[in-house]
Amino acid sequence: KNQVEQSPQSLIILEGKNCTLQCNYTVSPFSNLRWYKQDTGRGPVSLTIMTFSENTKSNGRYTATLDADTKQSSLHITASQLSDSASYICVVSGEYGNKLVFGAGTILRVKS
Amino acid sequence: DGGITQSPKYLFRKEGQNVTLSCEQNLNHDAMYWYRQDPGQGLRLIYYSQIVNDFQKGDIAEGYSVSREKKESFPLTVTSAQKNPTAFYLCASSMGVNGGLAKNIQYFGAGTRLSVL
């Protein structure tokens, strides 16, 4: 069964600290993996997208890594800001990029 | 939320009533999608459309209907057959389902929160 599991479910960190969110998937065949940021009550916004051959992709303070052999990805946030408080969703594409499998998300709260 | 507009932001449905959620995009995208989001769960695909006048069922299409008469518009009707409609509904669009990674990035609207009275 195609699944995407994210951990932790929720996380609280202090402003300025770094954090890493995890994503494990069983989707096969694999096309690409995406990380989205979703603010409360809003639609998700794409942060990064990686194909099988890419190990890392950065977008500002966000860095995503992908290990296609172990089917794991992580999203590292550097020097967190209050505006980073959101749900971070890992999404894996299994065929041609149109059929997506969504993780339940990690809720991040950054405190001052 | 780019060029995707969902309306209304909040919607209430009475017992036995059909309600329609609007989704309009001005990105000239071919493909459009409807998802349902429930607390603690990943987004689930309701319907998607790759081209005007064509659409396919997603994983949870029962109790929902769609139309794609115009490229810009992909309305979702939640029918009375959907017994548990309370959820956050997200519409998305992408350039196309085939032919390259960039074309498959989905852009989401701001969502419609549907509740039952």
Side-chain angles (χ1 to χ4, degrees), chain B residues 17-56:
Chain B
Q17 184 182 40
N18 293 351
V19 293
T20 297
L21 285 61
S22 171
C23 178
E24 303 278 331
Q25 55 100 358
N26 61 5
L27 301 170
N28 199 32
H29 284 172
D30 287 318
M32 296 187 74
Y33 314 80
W34 274 105
Y35 294 94
R36 171 180 170 139
Q37 188 174 36
D38 293 283
Q41 296 187 40
L43 273 68
R44 292 181 290 169
L45 182 65
I46 304 172
Y47 269 97
Y48 67 100
S49 168
Q50 300 181 23
I51 198 167
V52 175
N53 292 322
D54 184 58
F55 49 82
Q56 283 80 42

Side-chain angles (χ1 to χ4, degrees), chain A residues 9 31-32 34 36 38 41-46 49-51 54 87 89 95-105, chain B residues 1 9 33 35 37 40-45 48 50 58-59 88 90 97-98 101 104-111 113:
Chain A
Q9 276 190 323
S31 174
N32 57 76
R34 313 150 191 231
Y36 279 86
Q38 184 178 20
R42 308 288 290 176
V45 175
S46 179
I49 181 167
M50 291 180 291
T51 62
E54 295 176 291
S87 178
I89 302 172
E95 51 179 312
Y96 304 116
N98 64 315
K99 196 72 182 294
L100 306 181
V101 183
F102 288 79
Chain B
D1 302 320
K9 190 171 178 64
Y33 314 80
Y35 294 94
Q37 188 174 36
Q41 296 187 40
L43 273 68
R44 292 181 290 169
L45 182 65
Y48 67 100
Q50 300 181 23
D59 300 319
F88 190 51
L90 286 161
V97 296
N98 296 318
L101 191 60
N104 295 329
I105 294 175
Q106 293 186 15
Y107 298 86
F108 287 84
R113 187 163 298 280

Side-chain angles (χ1 to χ4, degrees), chain A residues 29-100:
Chain A
F30 172 83
S31 174
N32 57 76
L33 185 146
R34 313 150 191 231
W35 282 94
Y36 279 86
K37 177 186 179 188
Q38 184 178 20
D39 292 316
T40 301
R42 308 288 290 176
V45 175
S46 179
L47 292 175
T48 64
I49 181 167
M50 291 180 291
T51 62
F52 182 90
S53 59
E54 295 176 291
N55 300 119
T56 185
K57 184 73 72 79
S58 290
N59 179 358
R61 295 179 296 102
Y62 301 102
T63 299
T65 64
L66 173 64
D67 186 334
D69 291 330
T70 62
K71 298 187 176 181
Q72 296 179 323
S73 176
S74 64
L75 181 69
H76 186 74
I77 304 175
T78 304
S80 62
Q81 300 175 359
L82 296 178
S83 59
D84 292 331
S85 295
S87 178
Y88 291 85
I89 302 172
C90 177
V91 186
V92 179
S93 171
E95 51 179 312
Y96 304 116
N98 64 315
K99 196 72 182 294
L100 306 181

